[in-house]
Amino acid sequence: MSEIRFDERVAIVTGAGAGLGKTYALELAARGAKVVVNDLGGARDGSGSGTAAADLVVEEIKKAGGEAAANYDSVATIEGGKNIIKTAVDSYGKVDIVINNAGILRDKSFLKMTEQDWDMIHDVHLKGAFCVLQPAFAVMKANGYGRIVNTTSHSGLFGNFGQANYCAAKTGLIGLMNNLSIEGAKYNIKCNTIAPAAASRLTEDVMLPDLFNKLKPEFVTPLVVFLCSEENTDTKMIFNCGLGWFSRTELVCAPGAIIGDGKRPISAEEVRDEWSTITSLDDAKPLPTVTDTFAYIGELLS
Ligand code: NAI
């Protein structure tokens, strides 16, 4: 089996001071990548900051013979994002890989959720991806190469009680991936998204202890490493992973029903009467771009 290597590649892993991000940083470095270990070093709810989290991971990488540089900026500001990319460019000359992983939680049921709970989650997860990816994308475009992995969640894909802020922000990352896959296509920039399940401080009080002990972050790492590699040529895909389970989730469009002839008015009753066909996912398929959606409508109407 040929080994997947990252010699001469420069990777940024956000939130790499703990949990999943730490495993990505360690594994990429062990396979030859020069890694920027970004971590704000704050608490689970986004408060506070510190340098220890990133420093300890850099130390561990260096002890094992790898190359790494620490960065302590928050992903949640434009300035922070620029600085993270600057750390990579100043230290190693470029950016080939970005893993958007930094995350916090501020769970509350919808009616109890404050504006601050909403904004902080969006700032870290969704705006954070923008802040980091925009300057990184410029470098990747200039070099004609990039591998981006975003992190959504099953809460973002399917919903979860008490996480309106997190569900919405994590779904937003799918939209960002869809766009970057399209805009990155001609520059060999591939962007994919994972929905992991792993034991970490974010999940310690939401999982039963037995499951928590089994869900080691290292079970997610191999997928992320492959997605970051040159060998991966797929883009715009969403992957579920945890405990050895790897599968795809996809947004699909079904043929549904055609009502009327495109000229006469359509009534609500006609929609009601076709409801089982309209809601059926039979023969559903993903559509590559919005242009393909219009072509698909044309095809169905012809
Ligand atoms: P974690 O709490 O162990 O790691 C997240 C890291 O991000 C922390 O070290 C934290 O200091 C850092 N961070 C937080 N805000 C930051 C900021 N503004 N700038 C830079 N760094 C920041 O959590 P875990 O579980 O490893 O989560 C990683 C990602 O995976 C998150 O995006 C999370 O939402 C996502 N995720 C995790 C799941 C799981 O089962 N653990 C499930 C679904 C999604």
Side-chain angles (χ1 to χ4, degrees):
M1 188 160 59
S2 67
E3 194 189 354
I4 297 174
R5 296 286 308 172
F6 294 90
D7 305 299
E8 309 307 321
R9 293 286 177 212
V10 178
I12 292 171
V13 185
T14 69
L20 286 160
K22 178 179 174 181
T23 72
Y24 309 151
L26 293 176
E27 187 65 17
L28 288 170
R31 291 170 180 271
K34 299 173 177 76
V35 182
V36 172
V37 175
N38 157 263
D39 206 292
L40 178 66
R44 176 184 141 134
D45 67 355
S47 59
S49 62
T51 55
D55 282 345
L56 287 172
V57 176
V58 168
E59 208 177 293
E60 196 171 332
I61 289 173
K62 286 188 173 165
K63 258 192 196 149
E67 279 192 66
N71 172 283
Y72 319 111
D73 282 289
S74 172
V75 297
T77 65
I78 292 289
E79 195 195 2
K82 280 185 183 158
N83 249 332
I84 295 168
I85 282 41
K86 189 174 182 302
T87 304
V89 174
D90 287 354
S91 308
Y92 306 122
K94 60 175 180 165
V95 180
D96 299 303
I97 295 160
V98 174
I99 303 173
N100 274 310
N101 167 80
I104 58 169
L105 281 180
R106 296 178 69 92
D107 293 358
K108 301 242 175 77
S109 58
F110 189 53
L111 292 180
K112 291 186 180 140
M113 190 159 287
T114 63
E115 186 179 2
Q116 190 189 22
D117 294 327
W118 181 269
D119 285 347
M120 281 182 76
I121 286 292
H122 277 75
D123 284 352
V124 174
H125 290 276
L126 187 52
K127 185 181 167 197
F130 169 69
C131 294
V132 172
L133 285 176
Q134 197 179 47
F137 197 87
V139 180
M140 290 174 171
K141 182 180 165 185
N143 292 337
Y145 185 85
R147 295 289 181 271
I148 296 165
V149 178
N150 285 343
T151 311
T152 185
S153 160
H154 292 105
S155 301
L157 296 174
F158 307 117
N160 196 22
F161 188 93
Q163 293 193 312
N165 50 358
Y166 184 74
C167 291
K170 285 301 204 188
T171 311
L173 284 158
I174 304 296
L176 182 62
M177 170 194 73
N178 287 340
N179 172 269
L180 293 183
S181 305
I182 293 165
E183 292 201 20
K186 70 176 178 186
Y187 309 109
N188 191 15
I189 299 172
K190 314 291 182 194
C191 182
N192 292 288
T193 302
I194 64 154
S200 77
R201 71 175 181 175
L202 290 190
T203 49
E204 63 195 347
D205 59 356
V206 293
M207 284 177 188
L208 294 171
D210 186 40
L211 182 63
F212 186 80
N213 293 333
K214 287 183 188 154
L215 277 173
K216 302 205 180 314
E218 286 80 2
F219 284 119
V220 173
T221 321
L223 171 68
V224 174
V225 166
F226 176 69
L227 289 173
C228 288
S229 74
E230 227 171 299
E231 283 181 56
N232 169 44
T233 53
D234 280 317
T235 191
K236 207 168 176 261
M237 291 191 181
I238 307 162
F239 297 94
N240 316 293
C241 48
L243 206 56
W245 176 50
F246 301 99
S247 82
R248 266 181 78 190
T249 289
E250 187 55 274
L251 287 175
V252 291
C253 183
I258 306 288
I259 306 174
D261 58 4
K263 291 181 193 127
R264 71 160 176 84
I266 298 166
S267 69
E269 289 75 13
E270 287 178 286
V271 170
R272 175 198 59 200
D273 294 346
E274 288 292 339
W275 197 240
S276 61
T277 315
I278 291 169
T279 55
S280 167
L281 285 176
D282 288 351
D283 299 321
K285 61 177 184 181
L287 294 171
T289 67
V290 71
T291 317
D292 295 292
T293 313
F294 297 135
Y296 186 54
I297 297 168
E299 201 183 297
L300 292 171
L301 289 171
S302 65

